[in-house]
Amino acid sequence: MNTDWIIRKGACDAVLFFSGWGMDRRIADHIARTARAESEYDVVAFHDYRTGNIEAATYDALAGYRKRTVVAWSFGVWAAAHAKLPAVSYAIAVNGTLSPVCRETGIDPAVFQATLNTYNEENRIRFNRRMCGDGEVLDHFISVQPLRTPACQKEELAAFAGRIQSVLPEQGVEEFRYDHVIIGGRDMIFPASRQFAAWKGCSQTVIANMPHYPFFHLAGLEEVLECSRE
């Protein structure tokens, strides 16, 4: 997976942001803007999960922090749980589950496979509309959308499919727990009903009118972190 340090000023704590499938660092740059001036933490972003491991140098750097908070969105929720990170102090999942391809608690396998089989520029546009809905949310996403080709994104999705199929659901989860989840009531990728089924018993924030893309309703990292403090 790719790693980008968004804020690195020698803070004692770090926020580890795991973006969704198909993304690059641009969304991380956007949501960290409100944290740049006065933040008490560094921010490192993970994306492009064609490989599932973090580099040894990144692991060592993260291990040096006093506290590590994971904020993971969409497929990043699964990726973070299987990334073999140093001990995580707190973890927040946003519009994702630990079983991302599942009829009961994730994306229907047939829908996932159809997306993989037919993904191209035309279907990317359709997917983005489904992820955001129309109007302001879609306009906002377009302003920060990744600078990646459909072929590159499709390659990542195929790699995801292979790893998810090769890993038993319980693997990686025993050592990794999400402490809080944020669920969008209008999520058409990971439907809210399936997220509720996946996160029974876990502390939750529900944002009724939020679609799968959350960073219009949650404008910055501080707002995400604040949800878990309520």
Side-chain angles (χ1 to χ4, degrees):
M1 66 182 70
N2 286 0
T3 303
D4 286 299
W5 289 90
I6 308 301
I7 302 174
R8 194 174 192 181
K9 57 185 182 181
C12 294
D13 301 337
V15 173
L16 287 57
F17 174 64
F18 284 78
S19 199
W21 156 68
M23 301 300 150
D24 58 18
R25 66 171 287 163
R26 298 185 76 211
I27 287 175
D29 282 324
H30 165 71
I31 64 173
R33 282 176 191 151
T34 57
R36 289 184 189 278
E38 300 178 359
S39 66
E40 298 179 355
Y41 48 81
D42 290 345
V43 178
V44 59
F46 301 87
H47 54 88
D48 192 350
Y49 306 113
R50 283 179 285 183
T51 61
N53 300 321
I54 63 173
E55 295 180 352
T58 301
Y59 182 97
D60 291 343
L62 293 174
Y65 285 93
R66 176 184 63 187
K67 178 181 178 183
R68 288 160 294 277
T69 299
V70 164
V71 173
W73 166 47
S74 190
F75 270 96
V77 172
W78 188 92
H82 294 270
K84 297 181 180 178
L85 300 167
V88 170
S89 309
Y90 197 84
I92 303 169
V94 185
N95 280 347
T97 73
L98 290 168
S99 302
V101 183
C102 177
R103 190 171 288 106
E104 289 78 29
T105 59
I107 300 170
D108 189 291
V111 173
F112 178 89
Q113 191 62 47
T115 302
L116 176 58
N117 291 346
T118 64
Y119 197 73
N120 55 24
E121 180 60 34
E122 181 180 358
N123 287 329
R124 172 162 72 171
I125 293 170
R126 290 188 180 128
F127 180 85
N128 290 345
R129 287 201 188 105
R130 186 172 176 82
M131 179 172 67
C132 300
D134 293 326
E136 290 183 289
V137 179
L138 180 59
D139 290 342
H140 177 269
F141 174 74
I142 290 172
S143 74
V144 295
Q145 66 182 327
L147 303 178
R148 293 177 60 184
T149 66
C152 177
Q153 293 174 315
K154 184 173 182 177
E155 185 178 316
E156 181 188 353
L157 194 61
F160 241 130
R163 286 206 304 281
I164 290 170
Q165 291 170 3
S166 68
V167 175
L168 294 175
E170 65 272 12
Q171 287 181 336
V173 178
E174 288 185 4
E175 299 178 0
F176 194 101
R177 289 286 185 271
Y178 280 95
D179 302 284
H180 191 82
V181 299
I182 302 174
I183 297 171
R186 292 180 54 216
D187 193 330
M188 297 178 69
I189 306 300
F190 282 79
S193 60
R194 296 180 189 177
Q195 292 188 58
F196 291 138
W199 297 115
K200 290 178 181 178
C202 188
S203 172
Q204 300 176 5
T205 295
V206 180
I207 302 177
N209 61 341
M210 188 172 76
H212 185 66
Y213 175 71
F215 302 117
F216 177 82
H217 291 78
L218 297 167
L221 273 177
E222 284 299 323
E223 290 189 33
V224 176
L225 297 172
E226 190 61 35
C227 286
S228 67
R229 302 183 188 119
E230 294 176 351

